[in-house]
Amino acid sequence: MSETRPMQIRVENADDPAVAEFRDIRERDLVGRTGRFIAEGTVVLNMLAAAHGQENGFRAEKILVLENRLAGIADTLNRFPEDVPVYTASAAVIDAIAGFHLHRGVLALGRKPEPRPLDEALTRLPERALVTVLSGISNHDNAGAIFRNSAAFGASLIILDETSCDPLYRKAIRVSVGSVLTVPFHRGGSIDEILMKLDRAGFAVWGLSPAGQHPLRDLPASNRTALLLGTEGQGLPSDLMARINTARIAQMPGLDSLNVATAAALSLHEMAHRMGLLSE
Amino acid sequence: MSETRPMQIRVENADDPAVAEFRDIRERDLVGRTGRFIAEGTVVLNMLAAAHGQENGFRAEKILVLENRLAGIADTLNRFPEDVPVYTASAAVIDAIAGFHLHRGVLALGRKPEPRPLDEALTRLPERALVTVLSGISNHDNAGAIFRNSAAFGASLIILDETSCDPLYRKAIRVSVGSVLTVPFHRGGSIDEILMKLDRAGFAVWGLSPAGQHPLRDLPASNRTALLLGTEGQGLPSDLMARINTARIAQMPGLDSLNVATAAALSLHEMAHRMGLLSE
């Protein structure tokens, strides 16, 4: 280990400023102020390591590992560039740093790439593309689950408007099983601006809502489809609904609407089939 | 209020034995030992109230309400029988009882009905029926979400084997948006025993797994279909998979399998359409 990872440093004290970014991470939102985020567990860390191969991709700044997990995750650690420092600590010290029992035993501090304009992201899309658009999604679990489902059904891009949460929040990354680090996304701008740009790029936009006009199963196949999901409580605002095509998912009457990430899964699955993105 | 709810009792002290069952409820599992459960919020309480109309249904034993919420939820409270005591308390007392900040402001202590044999539940099913079967589902969020999705897509019964968790755990009820109290379920018995009884009752059983033999979209329509879901980590055991028909949900390669509640939503939605359970 010590040959491939010369930057291995033992932390004796939870107050060590070298690991300050890992302190009390449970509910802390690092990403909003600093552009940094916390990645947990080997699955997500492998995805973060892979991002180093991309131009202007995510980068790891430092890693914190439970000392008795070091040997077990050597393969993961070796995927990172050698200049990324790996801090090691005992279970007691690491739990004192994180503020809870860290049974996964490994954390990384990541850095977001420089944001690029939405137009650029749209230009890079393939001719046949499925895009997920989120407006007012503020729950991190839902955001993470939507990323996971978008990855599963082949979405090429996820666009979050300015009223949606940052998917690089720790819990969203965890729930996404790391797909926040693999599916390209753009966050920012008003929903009107986003829809205008999608239209200009040749996308058919469908808003999902229990009050949608067309049954999901009747949606026309299209080479470029964008599925728009609104916040679970309020759904898409009615003035927006009036201006776009809308679809509904059939369900039994008299019940609450589906969870927004579940609705995303159903509609992405349906469209991915129509568009031939899935192999069967 | 005082005319319709004569059993309204003010609690001054968090240690009052009358509200002992509501104490420190966050992670407590009441249902395993006592057959009692905690229902939160007006949506779920309305469902609990409605259950009083059923023979051998769920029953409320007592209700605890934040005093300044009393007027706002009078309609919900009035749906309960008059002999169900309603305890009221200040925010400080109620938070001290529950062990966390109870922003919903209303809790009920419910009681399970007497368990009945699975055969009886199967006998009561309509000729055309969709059934959800869970084996080894131990995560309460997943169990609750599976109930919510089963309700949305018209499942008539949910069967949980002896290795699955009790869906009357507080968090599962909350995530299910109360459908644990409305969709009939049976819990207990080995999965082999359950599958034998389903077979005898004329059900086509399909196990869902990323390694399933048939694409979900090719499943034959049938008047009686049971969808079997295994635990998220391990999935269905291979010896069980070898003995039953299995289906897979197409997704992009190289990723983790879908969340089990999401897989349930996709397969229930598909089968509900095939079986004509949904209106479109």
Side-chain angles (χ1 to χ4, degrees):
Chain A
M1 272 295 298
S2 58
E3 279 176 14
T4 50
R5 305 285 335 166
M7 299 283 287
Q8 201 165 299
I9 304 144
R10 190 174 158 85
V11 176
E12 304 289 351
N13 191 321
D15 296 329
D16 191 330
V19 293
E21 297 92 341
F22 296 108
R23 288 246 290 281
D24 302 319
I25 54 171
R26 184 157 239 172
E27 297 303 335
R28 229 169 107 198
D29 181 11
L30 215 55
V31 70
R33 289 172 297 111
T34 67
R36 304 307 195 268
F37 60 90
I38 299 290
E40 298 166 280
T42 51
V43 172
V44 176
L45 258 71
N46 284 331
M47 289 169 165
L48 179 56
H52 283 257
Q54 295 160 23
E55 193 208 337
N56 193 39
F58 296 105
R59 296 289 180 263
E61 294 198 337
K62 50 182 85 171
I63 297 172
L64 176 61
V65 187
L66 189 61
E67 56 191 356
N68 64 19
R69 289 273 287 135
L70 262 176
I73 62 166
D75 285 350
T76 295
L77 296 179
N78 287 333
R79 291 195 181 100
F80 286 90
E82 288 194 20
D83 61 350
V84 176
V86 174
Y87 295 92
T88 69
S90 67
V93 170
I94 221 168
D95 288 359
I97 295 168
F100 65 104
H101 175 56
L102 197 79
H103 65 280
R104 288 162 190 251
V106 56
L107 295 172
L109 177 72
R111 192 180 71 238
K112 282 208 277 199
E114 283 303 307
R116 288 176 169 178
L118 176 56
D119 290 316
E120 201 182 311
L122 291 172
T123 305
R124 278 200 299 264
L125 290 176
E127 192 40 52
R128 193 176 53 165
L130 179 58
V131 169
T132 309
V133 186
L134 307 183
S135 179
I137 300 291
S138 57
N139 177 294
H140 295 111
D141 290 283
N142 285 338
I146 291 170
F147 268 80
R148 181 177 179 178
N149 296 335
S150 295
F153 299 124
S156 299
L157 177 68
I158 299 174
I159 305 173
L160 305 99
D161 76 352
E162 62 200 359
T163 68
S164 296
C165 65
D166 195 312
L168 288 166
Y169 186 84
R170 187 181 67 89
K171 212 173 164 195
I173 299 176
R174 197 183 64 204
V175 173
S176 84
V177 200
S179 50
V180 173
L181 304 181
T182 59
V183 181
F185 74 88
H186 176 92
R187 178 165 168 264
S190 72
I191 190 64
D192 285 343
E193 197 183 322
I194 291 165
L195 295 184
M196 195 188 66
K197 289 180 176 181
L198 282 166
D199 181 61
R200 215 186 284 152
F203 278 85
V205 178
W206 288 90
L208 265 292
S209 162
Q213 285 199 292
H214 303 272
L216 176 64
R217 301 223 149 194
D218 291 355
L219 258 55
S222 146
N223 254 349
R224 301 203 129 190
T225 303
L227 293 170
L228 168 61
L229 296 144
T231 175
E232 182 155 26
Q234 306 292 318
L236 295 169
S238 53
D239 63 321
L240 179 61
M241 294 267 293
R243 285 184 284 124
I244 60 173
N245 290 314
T246 55
R248 64 182 181 274
I249 298 169
Q251 66 164 78
M252 302 302 282
L255 296 170
D256 238 45
S257 62
L258 295 165
N259 166 275
V260 65
T262 306
L266 287 159
S267 47
L268 287 161
H269 176 249
E270 185 71 31
M271 289 315 298
H273 265 289
R274 296 283 171 82
M275 294 168 65
L277 296 175
L278 301 170
S279 54
E280 50 182 44
Chain B
M1 274 289 298
S2 58
E3 279 176 12
T4 51
R5 305 283 335 166
M7 298 282 288
Q8 199 164 301
I9 304 144
R10 190 174 159 85
V11 177
E12 304 288 351
N13 191 322
D15 296 328
D16 191 328
V19 293
E21 298 92 342
F22 296 108
R23 287 246 289 281
D24 301 318
I25 53 170
R26 184 157 241 172
E27 296 304 334
R28 230 169 107 197
D29 181 11
L30 215 56
V31 69
R33 290 172 297 109
T34 69
R36 304 305 195 272
F37 60 89
I38 299 290
E40 297 166 280
T42 51
V43 171
V44 177
L45 257 72
N46 283 332
M47 289 167 166
L48 179 57
H52 283 258
Q54 295 160 23
E55 193 207 338
N56 194 39
F58 296 105
R59 295 289 180 264
E61 293 198 337
K62 50 182 84 170
I63 296 172
L64 176 61
V65 187
L66 189 60
E67 56 190 357
N68 64 19
R69 288 273 288 135
L70 261 175
I73 62 166
D75 286 348
T76 295
L77 296 178
N78 287 333
R79 291 195 180 101
F80 286 91
E82 288 194 20
D83 62 351
V84 176
V86 174
Y87 295 92
T88 69
S90 68
V93 170
I94 220 166
D95 287 358
I97 295 169
F100 64 105
H101 175 56
L102 196 79
H103 65 280
R104 287 161 191 253
V106 57
L107 295 172
L109 178 71
R111 191 178 72 237
K112 281 209 276 199
E114 282 303 309
R116 287 175 168 179
L118 176 56
D119 290 316
E120 201 181 312
L122 291 173
T123 305
R124 279 200 298 264
L125 290 176
E127 193 40 51
R128 192 176 54 165
L130 179 58
V131 169
T132 309
V133 186
L134 307 183
S135 180
I137 300 292
S138 57
N139 178 294
H140 294 111
D141 290 284
N142 285 338
I146 290 170
F147 268 80
R148 180 176 181 180
N149 296 336
S150 295
F153 299 123
S156 299
L157 178 67
I158 298 175
I159 305 173
L160 304 100
D161 76 351
E162 62 199 2
T163 68
S164 295
C165 66
D166 195 312
L168 287 166
Y169 186 85
R170 187 180 68 89
K171 211 173 166 195
I173 299 175
R174 197 183 62 202
V175 173
S176 84
V177 200
S179 50
V180 173
L181 304 180
T182 59
V183 181
F185 75 87
H186 176 92
R187 178 165 169 265
S190 72
I191 190 64
D192 286 343
E193 198 182 321
I194 290 165
L195 295 184
M196 197 187 65
K197 288 181 177 182
L198 282 166
D199 181 61
R200 215 187 284 152
F203 278 85
V205 178
W206 288 91
L208 265 292
S209 162
Q213 284 198 291
H214 303 273
L216 175 63
R217 302 223 148 193
D218 290 355
L219 258 55
S222 146
N223 254 348
R224 302 202 128 190
T225 303
L227 293 169
L228 168 61
L229 296 144
T231 175
E232 180 154 26
Q234 305 293 318
L236 296 169
S238 53
D239 63 322
L240 178 62
M241 294 266 294
R243 285 184 284 125
I244 61 173
N245 290 314
T246 54
R248 63 181 182 274
I249 298 169
Q251 67 164 77
M252 302 303 281
L255 295 171
D256 237 45
S257 62
L258 295 165
N259 167 275
V260 65
T262 305
L266 287 160
S267 47
L268 287 162
H269 177 249
E270 185 71 31
M271 288 316 299
H273 265 288
R274 297 283 172 81
M275 294 168 66
L277 297 174
L278 301 171
S279 54
E280 50 182 43

